[in-house]
Amino acid sequence: MPIKFRLALLPLFCLLSQTIWAATISPGSSLLASNPNQTWSSPDSSFSFGFIPSDPATSPPSFTAAITYSGGVPIWSPGRSVDSAGALHFLSSGALRLVDGSNKTIWDSDTASRGVSSAELDDSGNLVLRNGTGAAVWSSFDNPTDTIVPSQNFTVGKVLRSGMYSFKLVKNGNLTLLWNDSIVYWNQGLNSSVTNNTPNLTSPTLGLQPIGILTIADPKLPTAAIVAYSNDYAEAGDILRFLKLESDGNVRIYSSSKGSGDKIERWAAVTDQCQVFGYCGNMGICSYNDSNPICGCPSLNFEPVDPKDSRQGCRRKMEIKDCPQSVTMLDLDHTRFLTYPPETDSQIFFVGISACRLNCLVNDPCDASTSLSDGTGLCYYKTPGFLSGYHTPALTSSSYIKVCGPVIPNPPSSLDSAVKKKDWKMRAWIVVLVVVASLLGLMALEGGLWWWFCRNSPSFGALSAQYALLEYASGAPVQFSYKELQRSTKGFKEKLGAGGFGAVYKGILANRTVVAVKQLEGIEQGEKQFRMEVATISSTHHLNLVRLIGFCSEGRHRLLVYEFMKNGSLDDFLFATEEQSGKFLSWENRFKIALGTARGITYLHEECRDCIVHCDIKPENILLDENYNSKVSDFGLAKLVSPKDHRYRTLTSVRGTRGYLAPEWLANLPITSKSDIYSYGMVLLEIVSGRRNFEVSEETDRRKFSIWAFDEFEKGNIKGIIDKRLADQDVDMDQVMRAIQVTFWCIQEQPSHRPMMGKVVQMLEGITEMGKPPSPRAIIEGPIIERPVSGTSTSLVAPSSFSSFQISEVSPSAPARDMETATASLIQSDLS
Ligand SMILES: *[C@@H]1O[C@H](CO)[C@@H](O)[C@H](O)[C@H]1NC(C)=O
Ligand SMILES: *[C@@H]1O[C@H](CO)[C@@H](O)[C@H](O)[C@H]1NC(C)=O
Ligand SMILES: *[C@@H]1O[C@H](CO)[C@@H](O)[C@H](O)[C@H]1NC(C)=O
Ligand SMILES: *[C@@H]1O[C@H](CO)[C@@H](O)[C@H](O)[C@H]1NC(C)=O
Ligand SMILES: *[C@@H]1O[C@H](CO)[C@@H](O)[C@H](O)[C@H]1NC(C)=O
Ligand SMILES: *[C@@H]1O[C@H](CO)[C@@H](O)[C@H](O)[C@H]1NC(C)=O
Ligand SMILES: *[C@@H]1O[C@H](CO)[C@@H](O)[C@H](O)[C@H]1NC(C)=O
Ligand SMILES: *[C@@H]1O[C@H](CO)[C@@H](O)[C@H](O)[C@H]1NC(C)=O
Ligand SMILES: *[C@@H]1O[C@H](CO)[C@@H](O)[C@H](O)[C@H]1NC(C)=O
């Protein structure tokens, strides 16, 4: 029984291995953590295997079993550290095993019963377990941990690991660094002059030459391709060069002189340490002080996970789901949340900067977003998961992260303050004193005022933090719960009106803001699209557009909360008799409303980023504030109701209002911003005349008012068109004439004959000369407009002047689009 025989000799071997150094280690030998002096060494003593104190030192002390280079630099280590009672056994079964003080296995070479009969540490630092015929069964070179030394072959399938990071060689010869085995944050291919001239590699091998060159060899390559040079390349002397994946996620080449015990960095794979994914932990922001990467938190809404180790990342002081106040976006300029493959398409969008921020705010699975702001229009959404931030003044990107409001910015960096510290100290004190004193004064004043005004109010002091001034000022839409809106409208009691999209109710928010709450009906879009539309609408700000304050999206409830307009809608003034409503508009106000409306629509068509075709311009959608400033409402809603692209909307889904609808709606032709011009023309005529454009009466010879009005205009009977209520008023006839002419230009049947909205503004203002408008009906009476025939559609191409046009055939694949108009490019089409 050979095994029994060997066992009998065990004590003798143990004795021998401890007293005389042997290149060969026999089964039964052990190393004890309690005796770091005891090691297994290579024949020339360059390398030794034994326990070394863990770095950083721990209390109670712990030890790591490691193969070290002369001087103590570790190049291989089998795993976690053990306490001082731990031991490394080369068992007689042939397994090498690391145990802790309680004899629990920490690591095992898994070579039991594979015939291992001896072990040796050679002069290159390789620990090899051999069987009876001397074949290597296991070696430390084949099972690398985080380091590669010269003469160690690193092949495809092998991996270096350090914490969350790993380093791999890919079959095509690329070297990659990965975080959590999934995010590739560094990927370097072979020099293109090498790959262009050679076929696919078969079995690439990464090797570090003793002189400090990192190469990839392959049977298909005539000579090994050079990947990197260490900067002390070819420097002579007793130097060991090694490649190590550090716990900071970077791979470096180091040199260590024999016996010194230090290592000097000679090359690093990732030159910008902040580009290493996750270097500062989750939600940590990497930046540089003079030279070193440092980690911080995005703002004081966050706290470090481990105050002693800034690399552990940050967490929100208040989780979003527990946030009692409103959730808002923290803006981080010159900051990027690192983005590496694999990134899914659902996280990459082409939208503008503000939409990148707002879409994330109103979308639930979105935690943060980064807009590259470099002209690519790229926006990256970050769903809850790991966020790795990078800040440097050189970055153009802006990033946004959800926080529970209000935002508390970081204090100015310690670097800045260090530079100017002395100078600032004195002034700072003065400023602090002044600020504190004035704050106290203000608070006292405000408190007094509050008390004065609210002492009789039962809800004194019940101001909800949700509607804090800060939130409104930021311009971001507030999300309301259905309950809140029910409460603020007293159960939807006071109806202000009913538009094409649903009824509107008056409401009063907790902060006493009066609002108009629109309860949307017939919304076919899902929650996500609704939120995106809300983001687009609320990113549209103009004096002549009604401002969206917030929204509610809960179950099937979809509500929009707008600012309240004291004077209601334009139709009340125009069409109700004075006795009915007591409302009357002077010509001055009418002209102001016409101009303001035109400006608001110009903004929607031409000036805002995601251009919007309104599709339902009519007096009911033009609201007036207390100073008779007009504000266009209901913009951006048409898209919500019809899932189809505006341009191919069918008659059945027409949501606009008859009388204001441009003829192309009925002819099934492309809907462009020119369709809004038509509707505006009709509204303008009504502002002048105070009558519905489609009204038919004896006075108009049983014709539609708009058609009758043109004939009167031709005859020069302007007075007949003007609202009779204006007869004894002071009216600027120049303005009236301009308004009437603009009307007829706008309601031309032929879209390309209608001016752009910006032009309309100039025409009304009298800045641009306009010719006498042709009959709006010229075309409908002529033979030109036809219903589209299957296959091709008859369409009209924009003429170079108002007075001539031509007809051309276009195929459906190239729908006629008036190129000078802003088409209905809504945010969804960008996102899909
Ligand atoms: C290790 O060696 C050093 C000096 O060579 C000696 O001072 C120390 O006591 C030794 N430790 C043990 C545990 O033998
Ligand atoms: C440690 O455990 C192994 C089995 O896992 C056993 O064979 C050995 O005797 C134990 N050693 C001590 C010192 O308890
Ligand atoms: C040692 O391993 C080699 C290769 O795996 C094998 O061919 C040989 O038979 C083994 N020898 C013994 C004694 O197990
Ligand atoms: C590394 O690869 C070379 C060439 O394939 C080979 O000669 C050498 O023995 C290998 N080294 C080790 C330690 O396996
Ligand atoms: C790492 O990846 C695994 C699975 O891919 C995932 O479950 C885990 O959450 C990831 N770790 C971190 C810190 O994100
Ligand atoms: C290899 O690396 C190069 C960059 O050096 C990169 O362009 C290429 O896509 C990579 N190939 C693969 C398969 O990852
Ligand atoms: C690629 O390798 C060739 C020759 O080895 C060298 O001249 C060239 O500079 C290298 N190119 C790059 C981009 O490293
Ligand atoms: C290299 O591999 C690619 C895909 O694996 C294959 O399409 C191509 O033909 C190969 N080239 C050569 C020269 O073998
Ligand atoms: C930069 O940061 C490093 C590491 O935190 C620190 O040791 C060093 O003193 C800092 N340098 C300056 C100029 O603040």
Side-chain angles (χ1 to χ4, degrees), residues 143-179:
N143 296 273
T145 52
D146 59 7
T147 307
I148 302 171
V149 294
S151 82
Q152 178 172 0
N153 295 332
F154 188 76
T155 50
V156 177
K158 295 209 166 86
V159 53
L160 300 186
R161 282 189 192 282
S162 187
M164 295 291 280
Y165 299 105
S166 51
F167 173 79
K168 284 176 187 163
L169 173 63
V170 187
K171 182 103 199 302
N172 67 356
N174 274 22
L175 291 172
T176 58
L177 280 170
L178 297 96
W179 176 87

Side-chain angles (χ1 to χ4, degrees), residues 3 33 46 52 79 88 143 237 348 358 407 439 458 546 555 630 668 699 800:
I3 287 181
S46 305
I52 56 171
L88 185 77
N143 296 273
I348 307 174
L358 281 169
V407 164
L439 272 181
V546 174
S630 58
N668 230 0
E699 192 196 341
S800 47

Side-chain angles (χ1 to χ4, degrees), residues 164 179-182 282 385-386:
M164 295 291 280
W179 176 87
N180 199 16
D181 280 322
S182 53
N282 190 16
F386 199 94

